[in-house]
Amino acid sequence: MNDWYQMETSAVLQRLGVNAENGLSDTEVTERLTQHGANELIERGVKSPWLILWEQFTAVMVVVLIVAAVLSAVFGDYQDTIAILVIIVLNAILGFRQEYRAEKAMAALKKLAVPKVKVRRGGRVREISARELVPGDIVLLESGNLVPTDCRLLESVNLRTQEAALTGESEPIDKETVALVGDDLPLGDRYNLAYMGTVIAYGRGTAVVTETGMKTELGRIAGMIQSTERQPTPLQRRLDQLGKRLALAALVLVAIIFTEGIISGEEVRLMLITAVSVAVAAVPEGLPAVVTIALALGAQRMLKRRALIRKLPAVETLGSVTVICSDKTGTLTENRMTVTILDVAGHRVDLAEDLRRHAPVSGGATAERAIVSEHSQLALLLAGGALCNDAILEFDDKRPGQFNVVGEPTEGALVVAAARQDLWKKALTHAFPRQAEIPFDSTRKRMTTLHTLPDSQLQLPDALQKLWKERQEIFAGKYIAFTKGAIDSLLDISSHVWVNRESQPLDDTWRERIQAAHDQLAEDGMRVLAVAFRSLDKLPDLQSLENDLTLIGLIGMMDPARPEVREAVRTCKAAGIRPVMITGDHPLTARYIARELGIADTGRIMTGRELNQTGQELSEFVEEVPVFARVAPEHKLNIVAALQERGNLVAMTGDGVNDAPALKKADIGVAMGITGTDVSKEAADVVLQDDNFATIVAAVREGRVIYDNIRRFIIYLLAGNVGELAVMLVSPLLGMPLALLPIQILWINLVTDGLPALALGVEPPEKDTMKRPPYPPSENIFSRGAARQILWLGFIVGAASLLVGYLQWAKGYPQWQTMVFTTLTFSQMAHVMTIRSYRESAFRLNPLTNKPLMAAVSLTFILQLLVIYVPFLQPVFDTIPLSAADLLLCMVLGSAVFWAYEIEKFFLRRRERIK
């Protein structure tokens, strides 16, 4: 049922067949437990660890490596077999660890279940396991409790629930028991319902259970999490395509060479060995390890930028996102209520602007800075808000000059605003001791406190001294009462307004002016409170205290936008990424923040209710809407899915339980590290340690750099493999013996190619990294000229190696095979030095900007010399020592690929200048 909130309590009890005074009988509980099942979340479709492990060995690239390892073992090349198997096992361990962690979202969700709950059954209050709750049970709720299941409130005594994790509302929600009007109200507006997993922040109440287990709102979210399947990342798709193509190419080449040899009359065993050598040459064995390590290094760099990567493929995927769907509270805003506007008769002050001009308070505001020194009525407004207040301000011992607020966020904002103007709560309560209070309740929508007035102005804080001198009327009596609350509530009990240091009758003109000022602030997305006072000669009866008040003014507050986010949004747009706000908060607040940050300069703002009522398919207009407000979990999921249908790669941020399905559905789920729930973190790929939108943008930049570098070293590795294949295929046609042994090919692929390829993974970004649109998610590895580059640079590597080998073989030199081996290695060293940039000349790049690459090239050069000249390594790699002239010849011919690519880049830059 979805209409519980629309029904009167008597109708709810009648439908559930229960008496609120007695509760259910044991017989009824047993019957309903059989009918509805236990009140718990059920896990469905979770992968077993064994299945996750099996999937690590069935990826196309891994299968190719396994076949190569098996064939090497069959022909006795155990060194090759061991090397390849080590790569396979390491890759499987890393992959298993990442995916196993990804399956933990349900476990975190189940932690929200409540172990014990107080329930009324058979006329008695009992404490039972929450698993035993059934629809119709009468539960007792108290401050600090987790709500055990979805229920309809029967009694609410100042009851407030913290529902941020479920609805996105940053403030505790006042609960009531009356039936609500309106179809399909958002969860956050159903004030007479309490939801499983939310927290009773204040007060107490009684409720009747309406739904249990998987039928609760939390259960629906659990179902969405479990039914949402993750799609492979762009990099995973690209590598899978690459693996299939390489496997096919290897099979074709093996078949050609084997058939060619048999027709020529060669021995079957020799041709099988040759075919395996070609297969090994075709497959870049080090690629899975190099990609994994490059992603891990990228994850470390992102961690330094306060982005914790939980799943390695997310490192690269971040660089491909086209849309960032962001929650508002805490990500785009500071997640703290702040007083921004003070409005008194004829005068308005923007405190937010004042705070932008000045540094934060650290021990007291100066007289020149404090705005209240210029306007005594503002001082009275702030003092009243701070006195009619239960929040406490405490200095932070660990952070000098900073303070912490203990209490409700709205009241805390009032105390902080007063402190910033030198009206410290401690000094105020000393000057105006509290004598009595009437607490806030959701019916009156206000709170009142009664204070003793000081005997002399010497007891007043400095900011109130001017008020004492200007007008004695406020301090004429012995007591003063301050009331704060909703404007309509205070207008009903006020008879005067404080204007220009005196009290004036609150006539219709003033009421209209005050209401208009309130409405303007509300339209800007602010929460507005009014403050009034009453001066008294003697202690009054509390029942008559809230009467004949004098209205002082209005206080507007909101959760302000983070100052660094506007620039981050601008960077996003320059990089071709569209930021979208998706929030459970009020549409007016969402619109104000979105406009302030530049997210929604134009475009529609849609609410969850409008999404339900529209007859259009969401995918038809989703790219035209920059802000979605008052949305439910399924709306977030549907928005992400619609964006993906339009070909977008979507990053989604969130911190609540309600965000988990969308976080899992998105290509990149980004959870909040500070305010985020365990459920959201477990469903996400990335956790922001500072909850900051700007950190996402920094991580996107890093992701783009990583993808560019991965693509760069794939081109580098495959060009080397093409060179090896050219040598292996052409040398028999020239009548030469086997030009390269499998162990030599493996040495090149794993060591002399692998180390520089790893170092390419930390190459600094190109200049235009965040000034270009993201590459299409459907793009394959060989797009944008990569295939041509691999083939022609690989041809040069192979031609140079074949040339030196053929010339030496034709002369009958026994070291000809070692020279082919060495020339290939040196060619790759030259190639890696020029491929650092796709357009800049290698001579213009600072070698010290990538010290690991310089170290890798130097180390590889030394290792190659060791393989050639160290006696005990020579039989392992079947090498012969080279003379200085032979070594120099290998180096000169090996540099051919360097000069070829430098010439290509020269003409590329020339074309760009002409354009």
Side-chain angles (χ1 to χ4, degrees), residues 632-651:
E634 59 268 25
H635 294 139
K636 296 184 178 185
L637 192 64
N638 294 339
I639 291 166
V640 170
L643 286 167
Q644 289 172 330
E645 283 178 25
R646 302 283 294 184
N648 290 288
L649 202 89
V650 183

Side-chain angles (χ1 to χ4, degrees), residues 256-275 731-738 809:
I256 291 172
I257 292 173
F258 183 77
T259 305
E260 182 186 72
I262 295 299
I263 293 172
S264 302
E266 298 286 354
E267 293 181 11
V268 174
R269 177 178 172 78
L270 175 63
M271 292 318 301
L272 281 173
I273 293 173
T274 304
S731 57
L733 300 178
L734 298 176
M736 298 168 64
L738 197 62
W809 172 75

Side-chain angles (χ1 to χ4, degrees), residues 734-790:
L734 298 176
M736 298 168 64
L738 197 62
L740 289 169
L741 298 176
I743 187 65
Q744 293 172 340
I745 295 171
L746 214 56
W747 171 263
I748 294 171
N749 287 359
L750 295 180
V751 180
T752 60
D753 282 1
L755 292 176
L758 275 177
L760 275 178
V762 295
E763 185 66 30
E766 302 264 15
K767 294 177 181 177
D768 66 342
T769 299
M770 290 299 282
K771 295 179 181 178
R772 60 163 176 82
Y775 298 127
S778 57
E779 174 186 278
N780 66 49
I781 292 291
F782 300 110
S783 62
R784 289 185 286 119
R788 180 190 58 79
Q789 192 174 341
I790 289 168

